[in-house]
Amino acid sequence: MKSRSFLARGIRVSGVALVAGTLLLTGCSGGGAGGGNQSGAAGGDSEGVVKVGVSMPTQTSERWIADGDAVKEELEAAGHTVDLQFANDDIPTQTQQIDQMITNGAQVLVVAAIDGTALSSQLDAAGAAGIPVISYDRLIRDNENVDFYVSFDNYKVGVAQATALLSGLGITDADGDELSGRPTGPLNIELFAGSPDDNNAGFFFDGAMDTLKPYLDDGTLVVKSTQTDFDQVAILRWSQEGAQKRMEDLVTSTYGGGTVPLAGVLSPFDGLSRGIITALQNAGYGSTIADGLPVVTGQDAEVASVKLINEGVQQSTIFKDTRTLAAQAVKVVESIAAGEEPEANDTTTYDNGVKVVPSYLLPVETIYKDDIKSKLIDSGYYTQTEVEEGVVK
C-alpha cells in the first residue's frame, strides 16, 4: 500500500489545516475523535508548538529510560508539551497509556511498542483523529496508521554483532576481513535472538545469520545444539532470566555440564548477554575471556555490560546512540509541526504488513574494550566512574 502523505491527511498545525498540500485558514473548533483537543487533532498553536505523547516500553532497561528522557528533554527544549509514559513491559498498560494520551489531546504520538502487533485500536483511533504516529526504534506492524519510522539500521546491527563474534574467534578482523591462518574449526557456537514480538529482532537475526552462514556452511562454525531457527533461539521480552535459563539448559543438554568446549555465543542484547555470561561462569567456563570464557556479543552499550567489556568478560556490544535517535525523532516531530514532510533515507525496507513505512535509519558502532574511552567516555555518553562501577550516576 502506498504511504500516505502527511500533507494529505488534513493534519492541523499552527492553526492551519494542510489538505492535499493546500493551506487553508482555519479556526480552533475542529476537535478530533479523542475529544478534549479544541484546536484539532494534530493542531498546534501559532508558534507551531504541539502536544506530544511519548510511549516507551519499559524502565527495566536503562536504554529505554535514556531514550524517553532524551526525547522529552529535546522536545521541551523546542517548546513542545510532552506526556512521557513508560509501560513496564505490560501491553495493557501501554494501550491504556496511549488511549489516555489521545483522550488528553496529544497531537503527535511517538511510540516504542512492547508488542508491534498489539496497538491496532489505538492506531485506528489516532488515524481517525488525524494524529500522526511515529514508530520509535521498533516498527509497529499490521496497521496503516503508522506514518514514520525512526531507528537504526537493524539489519546492519546483526551484521555487526556477527562480525564481532567472528573477530573474537580469530576468523576475521574487526572490519570483517578474513584473517590468514584463521582457525578452520570446528568451533562450537550457540545462537540467541530477541523477542519474537519485536520486529527488530528478526532483522538482527537475519543480518547475523547471513554473515555467519559461510562459516557455518564450511564447517568452521558448528551450532552443536542444532538450534538455528529464529523461533528456537528467541527470548521473549528480551528477558535476562530467560536467556540465563536457556544457556543453562544448553550447557546441561549439549555441553556436558560445562566439559565440552564452547567458543562463542551470539547475543543480540546486553541484558541477554549478562544472563548468558552468568550461566557460563557458573558452569565453570572461566570468569573472563582470557581464562576460557566464551566470546559473547551484545547490543545497546548498557553501562553494566560496558563495565564487563572493560574487565574482559563480555567481548563487545553494539552502540546505538540514544542521543542521535532522540534527536532524529524530534526532527520528525518538528517537520510535522511545521507542516512539512519528514526527511526519510529509506522508503523501501520497512514493510509493516500493510504498507512500507517511510524511515530514517541511523548508523551503529561496535564497541570493544579499546573503544570505550574514545566512543563512550570522550563523547560524554558515560563517565569513567560510571564505566568502572557499571552504574549510571
Side-chain angles (χ1 to χ4, degrees):
M1 178 178 292
K2 185 178 179 180
S3 298
R4 298 170 300 163
S5 166
F6 283 98
L7 301 183
R9 288 192 56 195
I11 297 172
R12 287 190 176 89
V13 180
S14 303
V16 178
L18 302 179
V19 182
T22 303
L23 300 178
L24 300 174
L25 192 62
T26 66
C28 297
S29 60
N37 182 0
Q38 298 304 311
S39 62
D45 64 17
S46 60
E47 299 293 325
V49 172
V50 292
K51 183 173 184 178
V52 185
V54 179
S55 175
M56 292 286 152
T58 185
Q59 287 177 299
T60 61
S61 168
E62 66 189 38
R63 74 127 319 171
W64 291 116
I65 298 172
D67 279 79
D69 290 346
V71 172
K72 184 175 189 291
E73 289 169 8
E74 292 205 31
L75 284 171
E76 288 180 340
H80 303 291
T81 301
V82 180
D83 179 9
L84 169 63
Q85 300 290 333
F86 294 90
N88 298 318
D89 280 323
D90 183 65
I91 294 170
T93 296
Q94 186 165 49
T95 59
Q96 291 164 10
Q97 288 173 343
I98 295 173
D99 283 336
Q100 194 64 42
M101 290 174 184
I102 295 171
T103 298
N104 290 343
Q107 295 155 293
V108 181
L109 293 174
V110 178
V111 179
I114 297 170
D115 182 338
T117 64
L119 298 174
S120 289
S121 64
Q122 286 69 38
L123 292 172
D124 289 345
I131 303 171
V133 176
I134 301 165
S135 187
Y136 185 94
D137 200 38
R138 296 174 171 179
L139 183 64
I140 303 171
R141 295 192 53 80
D142 302 333
N143 195 288
E144 67 175 352
N145 298 302
V146 182
D147 297 281
F148 204 85
Y149 180 43
V150 292
S151 186
F152 296 90
D153 192 321
N154 295 311
Y155 181 87
K156 288 184 179 178
V157 169
V159 171
Q161 289 170 341
T163 301
L165 179 62
L166 292 170
S167 175
L169 298 176
I171 296 171
T172 71
D173 63 17
D175 295 323
D177 295 325
E178 194 169 292
L179 296 172
S180 60
R182 69 171 179 85
T184 57
L187 299 174
N188 292 331
I189 66 168
E190 291 298 331
L191 310 172
F192 282 71
S195 189
D197 54 14
D198 182 345
N199 191 73
N200 288 355
F203 281 95
F204 301 151
F205 190 69
D206 289 346
M209 291 304 288
D210 287 350
T211 305
L212 297 176
K213 187 176 187 299
Y215 302 101
L216 292 167
D217 288 348
D218 72 10
T220 301
L221 301 178
V222 174
V223 180
K224 190 170 177 59
S225 70
T226 72
Q227 296 179 13
T228 59
D229 292 337
F230 177 86
D231 290 342
Q232 294 175 303
V233 304
I235 303 296
L236 183 65
R237 300 282 187 273
W238 302 90
S239 165
Q240 180 171 331
E241 294 77 11
Q244 181 173 337
K245 176 65 165 59
R246 178 169 181 262
M247 191 71 251
E248 289 169 346
D249 291 345
L250 288 171
V251 168
T252 300
S253 65
T254 308
Y255 291 90
T259 61
V260 176
L262 173 61
V265 181
L266 177 78
S267 170
F269 165 55
D270 288 340
L272 303 189
S273 307
R274 294 194 296 274
I276 292 163
I277 288 167
T278 298
L280 294 172
Q281 289 175 331
N282 290 345
Y285 276 103
S287 58
T288 67
I289 297 170
D291 62 17
L293 189 68
V295 171
V296 180
T297 62
Q299 179 182 190
D300 283 345
E302 291 197 341
V303 71
S305 282
V306 174
K307 177 179 185 290
L308 295 180
I309 294 169
N310 196 45
E311 295 171 346
V313 178
Q314 183 172 318
Q315 183 249 7
S316 61
T317 188
I318 305 303
F319 180 38
K320 296 160 54 175
D321 193 337
T322 57
R323 297 168 299 185
T324 62
L325 184 59
Q328 193 60 44
V330 171
K331 286 181 181 179
V332 175
V333 173
E334 292 277 82
S335 295
I336 294 169
E340 301 169 352
E341 290 280 352
E343 178 188 1
N345 62 8
D346 188 309
T347 57
T348 60
T349 303
Y350 287 89
D351 188 332
N352 78 345
V354 176
K355 61 184 280 190
V356 176
V357 182
S359 308
Y360 196 99
L361 306 180
L362 295 160
V364 299
E365 294 182 281
T366 305
I367 301 293
Y368 301 98
K369 182 176 181 177
D370 291 345
D371 302 308
I372 291 174
K373 185 178 186 303
S374 62
K375 295 182 180 179
L376 297 179
I377 296 174
D378 291 349
S379 73
Y381 198 78
Y382 293 131
T383 67
Q384 181 70 42
T385 299
E386 287 171 334
V387 169
E388 290 173 355
E389 298 181 3
V391 178
V392 175
K393 302 294 186 181

